[in-house]
Amino acid sequence: MFWGISTALDLYEEYAKAFKLQDDCEVAGAGDTSKVSPAALNILICGGADARHVIKTLAKRYTHRVQPKLNIYVLDGCEEILARSMLLLAIALESSDSFSLVGLVHLFMDVYGNSMMRPTTHHYVAAKARTLLKMVTDEEQLQHIAPMLNLDGLKYREKDGMEMAFNFWQPKPIHFYDIKSYWEQRSRALLGGRYDHRLGVWDWDLSMTLKDREGQQICSQEYRYWRESGIAFVFPEYELCKPNKTFAAGLVRNGRTYLHRGYVGDIQTGPFCGFGLRTSEERMLNSVHGENDYRSTDIVERNLLELFHELQTQTPYKHDPTRSRRYGSVLLQMSPVLTYNEADDHNQEIYDKPWIEMPNITVHFISPMDIVQLKEGAKRWRGVFDIAFVAHNYINFLTKEFFNVLKDQALMIQETKLMTVERKEHLNNFESKAKDLMKEAGLRPSINYQAINGKNMFLKYKKCVGAEEELEEEVVIDEKKVVIDEKEVVVNEDPPAAESLEIVELPAN
């Protein structure tokens, strides 16, 4: 609920690859217009749960010579998730004058995946929440600090919900959030009688399930510690002792305080998928006898350093190898998690500097109620989106009418349940259902899933109406068969050359 279970995507790059767009020609130029990027792209992120796709799309934008205007529509199920996504985006686009690059990355990791935070992160969240509250309630402040944001799609009730979240994040004793107890209660409810043997359950989930499904980079020590405490990203020099109130959901006013639903997020996969499974730094993916040189935590740190550097400088990032610490096979001594209830200083620093400028980018936060209109293919959304990303837990909203919101040339990306600990038959049933839905809607796969027997974190389908699409040639040779575009063709082998034949004399009868 608070993070996705798939890697961050550059959504414009995915669109360009799907339709083989010429990234080196001018927008709206002459020639083959089917290979030219549109002047503007509308992107729907439905249930993304965090800002990972937005961050990577913005960070990698400078790498594309063709840079169409991007309208990104973010839809999530509740106001607290929208408020948290807004905070994560604010950290990613924080002014470089406020933090060093490493400090900003560790701040993001704290908020993103740790149930307990450092005191410095705790104070930042409280201070930033006050600024975000002004932005939600005052259009002038919004335009001054983050003109790229558009909140017109939110109803007053949803803005009130975000206001409650920002208020709840303040360091007030009456805003009680005992994440340690909530986490343990969820774990006990999930495991039942197996709770006393939970270490064996967690090792099974990681070693026999997640590591077989693209999760090889997750180390057993960090995974077990996260399953026990809710703390995913650990560095020895930090003390994590303040509750992460951004995990609170279902906030309701109760006099001067708030009622909430405790912790209702993921407790089986972890926040490692978004940024911590793969990296362009190949040496960091090395492992010896199943022991990784680097943790998923270190991969997250390295990838965020790259993305935040690119956001700030619009230049390629070169990683310093001495920056990353090889803790993959090191047994770190984990001290008990303590809650530090010191008197919070209310004279905190104010973080209200304008965000990093992103020309021709608009991020629209839209109402959770719009999912019903999208499901029914409402007229106001018909033919609006060039790209749609749908999270795995939103598949029930996919109907034949939903696909009417896509343009005649559009890319549909469906997240799968690959990075869950569910049984394989559940994963296969999910994929089959998603493929059938998209096939019935007239979409065709971007790659030939029948020819490629692999594990799919995403299903990528495209809509092409009124255009002659090139034959997608995903060729797999299996003995005498070639599969081309879901059609099986038998290949006749050439007869062997005469000089290659061996002559054998048969014995006389």
Side-chain angles (χ1 to χ4, degrees):
M1 181 176 180
F2 296 106
W3 46 72
I5 58 168
S6 57
T7 56
L9 296 175
D10 176 357
L11 294 174
Y12 174 68
E13 182 184 19
E14 296 297 328
Y15 182 84
K17 286 193 300 185
F19 294 103
K20 299 181 174 63
L21 300 182
Q22 298 175 6
D23 198 37
D24 58 349
C25 61
E26 296 296 329
V27 177
D32 184 3
T33 56
S34 65
K35 298 299 182 184
V36 178
S37 176
L41 288 175
N42 296 330
I43 302 172
L44 172 66
I45 300 177
C46 187
D50 53 35
R52 68 190 187 283
H53 299 314
V54 179
I55 291 171
K56 184 161 186 179
T57 301
L58 300 188
K60 296 298 180 182
R61 182 171 168 81
Y62 82 99
T63 64
H64 305 289
R65 183 174 176 184
V66 177
Q67 298 179 359
K69 176 177 172 56
L70 298 182
N71 295 303
I72 303 174
Y73 294 80
V74 177
L75 186 153
D76 270 298
C78 67
E79 296 84 358
E80 293 84 7
I81 300 297
L82 290 173
R84 177 176 154 86
S85 295
M86 193 170 172
L87 172 64
L88 292 172
L89 188 59
I91 296 174
L93 297 175
E94 185 70 76
S95 170
S96 58
D97 299 335
S98 302
F99 293 92
S100 67
L101 186 60
V102 174
L104 196 63
V105 166
H106 289 181
L107 172 66
F108 185 95
M109 293 171 70
D110 246 4
V111 176
Y112 185 74
N114 290 342
S115 62
M116 303 291 287
M117 306 185 297
R118 294 171 292 154
T120 52
T121 304
H122 170 75
H123 289 303
Y124 172 86
V125 170
K128 197 67 177 180
R130 291 194 291 273
T131 299
L132 296 176
L133 177 58
K134 293 178 184 177
M135 292 165 58
V136 169
T137 55
D138 187 342
E139 182 66 24
E140 221 174 274
Q141 285 290 322
L142 179 66
Q143 291 301 316
H144 170 66
I145 297 173
M148 64 178 292
L149 287 187
N150 187 315
L151 306 180
D152 293 342
L154 297 174
K155 304 181 187 302
Y156 286 113
R157 179 181 61 186
E158 286 131 20
K159 290 183 178 180
D160 288 342
M162 295 178 72
E163 179 185 347
M164 281 193 287
F166 296 141
N167 278 322
F168 183 73
W169 297 352
Q170 299 306 309
K172 297 179 181 179
I174 58 174
H175 296 171
F176 184 72
Y177 191 64
D178 187 4
I179 182 65
K180 289 170 61 178
S181 297
Y182 306 143
W183 190 273
E184 183 180 348
Q185 291 167 12
R186 286 284 312 281
S187 295
R188 288 183 178 274
L190 175 68
L191 297 178
R194 299 182 298 163
Y195 185 78
D196 290 339
H197 309 283
R198 57 192 181 277
L199 292 180
V201 176
W202 298 340
D203 283 340
W204 177 274
D205 287 346
L206 178 62
S207 302
M208 304 303 293
T209 306
L210 294 177
K211 281 187 176 291
D212 189 47
R213 302 177 183 177
E214 305 296 328
Q216 300 91 340
Q217 199 58 42
I218 305 174
C219 293
S220 57
Q221 181 180 207
E222 63 182 340
Y223 182 75
R224 284 198 303 268
Y225 191 66
W226 175 76
R227 290 290 297 260
E228 180 72 46
S229 64
I231 299 173
F233 308 127
V234 175
F235 295 98
E237 63 268 30
Y238 294 148
E239 180 186 7
L240 305 167
C241 58
K242 304 292 286 187
N244 188 345
K245 293 182 179 179
T246 69
F247 286 160
L251 290 167
V252 178
R253 289 187 189 276
N254 182 30
R256 295 173 57 213
T257 63
Y258 294 94
L259 301 176
H260 53 76
R261 297 173 60 193
Y263 179 79
V264 293
D266 165 43
I267 59 171
Q268 291 182 289
T269 300
F272 309 104
C273 301
F275 303 100
L277 299 184
R278 295 291 176 266
T279 178
S280 57
E281 204 85 19
E282 291 293 333
R283 65 176 184 83
M284 295 187 70
L285 302 178
N286 292 338
S287 64
V288 179
H289 303 302
E291 293 288 343
N292 298 327
D293 286 350
Y294 295 89
R295 304 170 296 167
S296 180
T297 298
D298 304 313
I299 303 298
V300 172
E301 180 191 39
R302 185 254 175 263
N303 286 339
L304 289 176
L305 284 170
E306 176 181 342
L307 295 177
F308 288 5
H309 170 86
E310 291 175 328
L311 283 170
Q312 292 179 3
T313 67
Q314 301 290 292
T315 59
Y317 173 75
K318 186 175 181 180
H319 187 62
D320 179 4
T322 62
R323 170 65 256 170
S324 298
R325 290 161 285 187
R326 299 177 61 172
Y327 287 150
S329 58
V330 176
L331 185 62
L332 298 176
Q333 184 176 359
M334 302 297 191
S335 59
V337 178
L338 303 176
T339 303
Y340 188 38
N341 293 315
E342 86 284 6
D344 289 308
D345 182 12
H346 291 283
N347 298 320
Q348 301 167 20
E349 188 172 347
I350 298 173
Y351 295 97
D352 60 355
K353 294 181 180 178
W355 295 6
I356 296 171
E357 290 187 14
M358 287 286 144
N360 292 323
I361 299 287
T362 306
V363 179
H364 304 260
F365 284 85
I366 58 178
S367 169
M369 298 305 296
D370 283 335
I371 189 62
V372 179
Q373 295 186 12
L374 291 167
K375 179 182 178 181
E376 297 171 352
K379 188 175 181 180
R380 66 182 286 241
W381 294 114
R382 196 164 296 169
V384 170
F385 298 109
D386 301 273
I387 307 169
F389 169 87
V390 178
H392 72 282
N393 53 337
Y394 278 67
I395 192 172
N396 291 330
F397 294 103
L398 290 188
T399 60
K400 192 172 182 180
E401 291 75 20
F402 176 90
F403 297 100
N404 291 331
V405 306
L406 300 177
K407 290 185 178 179
D408 290 344
Q409 177 175 294
L411 174 65
M412 174 75 187
I413 303 175
Q414 173 65 57
E415 181 183 66
T416 70
K417 288 188 173 183
L418 180 68
M419 292 307 296
T420 66
V421 297
E422 293 190 21
R423 296 172 182 261
K424 282 187 178 180
E425 52 265 33
H426 294 167
L427 269 63
N428 294 335
N429 292 339
F430 180 93
E431 281 200 25
S432 298
K433 178 181 177 181
K435 289 176 180 177
D436 290 343
L437 283 169
M438 289 185 274
K439 193 176 293 184
E440 289 172 7
L443 277 65
R444 59 175 296 165
S446 291
I447 60 175
N448 194 332
Y449 290 107
Q450 289 189 1
I452 300 176
N453 184 19
K455 300 178 178 69
N456 303 309
M457 192 176 288
F458 305 99
L459 296 176
K460 301 174 184 178
Y461 277 66
K462 52 188 176 181
K463 180 179 179 182
C464 296
V465 178
E468 189 81 19
E469 190 179 4
E470 291 183 3
L471 183 66
E472 196 73 44
E473 295 189 0
E474 289 288 342
V475 180
V476 174
I477 299 179
D478 180 14
E479 295 180 353
K480 296 183 181 181
K481 297 176 183 178
V482 176
V483 179
I484 300 179
D485 196 27
E486 301 184 7
K487 295 179 182 178
E488 190 175 275
V489 181
V490 177
V491 178
N492 294 321
E493 293 182 342
D494 294 328
E499 58 267 24
S500 66
L501 295 177
E502 183 179 354
I503 299 175
V504 179
E505 291 186 7
L506 297 175
N509 292 331

